[in-house]
Structures are given as C-alpha cells and as structure tokens.
C-alpha cells in the first residue's frame, strides 16, 4: 500500500473534524436556543460533518501512483510549528482582548510569518476581513462575542 500526501492530509483533516465535532457540545447556548432551528452549534456541526465527508472523499479518491509517494523533503516544519503556536496564542488572546482584536492580531501574525512584511498590506488584508466576520457573527447572526476582559476593564461593559 502506498501512502501519498493526499492520504495523510485526509487522515489529518478527518481527525481534526472529528475532534472539532466532539467538542461542539461544549458550546454554550442561551436557554431555549436548543429548540431554535439555527443556534450557536448549527454552523460548527455543519462544518464538522462537511470536514468529515470531504476528508473521507479525499482518502478514497487519493492517487495511488508511486510518483505521488509521501516525501518530507522541502517542507518547512519550522513555519508549521510557528503557525501552530500562533493558533494557541489566538486561543489565549480571545478571552483577554476579544474576538475582533485577537482575530486582527492573528491574521497579521499569520501573514507576517508567511513572509509578508509590508504594514499596509498586513492591515488591508487583516482588518476588513476581521471586521466583516465580527459584523456577520455579532450583528447579522446575533451571536454573542465577548469583548474580552481587557476591553471590559478599560471601557466597562
């Protein structure tokens, strides 16, 4: 049996989708939200199922040619570790500075790690996207996003 990059990618994506789906039950909802057709767990549930189905499809349809065999040459694992550390920092920052600020900092940090150094490009690529996601979640879908402990301490809340 030949293991290709598609097989490994599919297995990793399947594990991530399963873990993501496992923790969906930890998302807290307001009383009575469990009877609503669309609640805080709806989109994560759909994403977990879609991730599982797509990863299984990737595993099943992966190429079995010897030329596509897994080779770890040329991969920059240092950048992967840095991006994973950035994700952990993003998770820690969510509680303290809130969704909007931590998302902006996460995107700027991610682009910077991937090689972008122009400040104007970093801001243009990060701020509008984070503001749009924040607006869509909090204003259009009426999902509560905590402003963060630091923000509430400084500005009240």
């Amino acid at each position: 049996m030949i293991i290709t990059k598609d097989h490994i990618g599919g297995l990793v994506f399947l594990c991530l989708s399963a873990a993501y789906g496992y923790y969906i039950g930890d998302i807290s909802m307001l009383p009575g939200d469990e009877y609503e057709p669309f609640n805080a767990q709806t989109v994560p549930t759909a994403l977990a199922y879609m991730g599982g189905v797509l990863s299984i499809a990737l595993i099943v349809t992966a190429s079995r040619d010897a030329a596509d065999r897994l080779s770890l040459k040329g991969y920059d694992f240092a950048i992967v570790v840095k991006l994973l550390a950035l994700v952990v920092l993003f998770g820690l920052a969510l509680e303290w500075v809130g969704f909007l600020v931590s998302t902006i900092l996460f995107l700027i940090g991610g682009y910077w790690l991937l090689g972008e150094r122009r400040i104007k490009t970093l801001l243009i690529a990060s701020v509008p996207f984070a503001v749009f996601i924040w607006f869509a979640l909090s204003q259009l879908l009426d999902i509560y996003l905590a402003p963060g402990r630091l923000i509430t301490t400084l500005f009240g809340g």
Side-chain angles (χ1 to χ4, degrees):
M1 178 177 173
I2 295 174
I3 296 177
T4 64
K5 292 183 279 188
D6 290 344
H7 289 110
I8 299 295
L11 286 172
V12 168
F13 198 55
L14 181 62
C15 291
L16 289 174
S17 297
Y20 183 70
Y22 178 76
Y23 286 106
I24 287 173
D26 291 346
I27 297 173
S28 60
M29 294 187 297
L30 297 173
D33 268 1
E34 62 269 14
Y35 304 113
E36 295 291 329
F38 192 89
N39 57 43
Q41 293 180 351
T42 304
V43 172
T45 302
L47 289 174
Y49 279 113
M50 285 175 24
V53 168
L54 290 175
S55 60
I56 290 171
L58 180 61
I59 293 168
V60 170
T61 61
S63 171
R64 303 198 189 292
D65 290 341
D68 294 332
R69 179 174 285 181
L70 179 62
S71 173
L72 299 179
K73 292 179 183 176
Y75 288 106
D76 188 1
F77 289 103
I79 194 73
V80 173
V81 170
K82 291 175 186 174
L83 287 171
L84 289 174
L86 184 65
V87 170
V88 170
L89 289 174
F90 172 69
L92 295 173
L94 274 172
E95 183 177 343
W96 290 97
V97 295
F99 178 82
L100 184 60
V101 174
S102 61
T103 302
I104 290 171
L105 293 175
F106 172 74
L107 291 173
I108 289 173
Y111 294 138
W112 188 81
L113 282 175
L114 293 174
E116 181 57 53
R117 298 292 189 263
R118 294 172 289 181
I119 299 296
K120 185 177 178 181
T121 303
L122 290 172
L123 292 174
I124 289 173
S126 302
V127 173
F129 180 73
V131 169
F132 173 75
I133 294 296
W134 172 83
F135 180 78
L137 291 175
S138 66
Q139 305 301 311
L140 298 178
L141 298 175
D142 203 24
I143 295 173
Y144 176 72
L145 296 173
R149 290 183 185 180
L150 183 65
I151 302 298
T152 55
T153 302
L154 291 176
F155 303 109

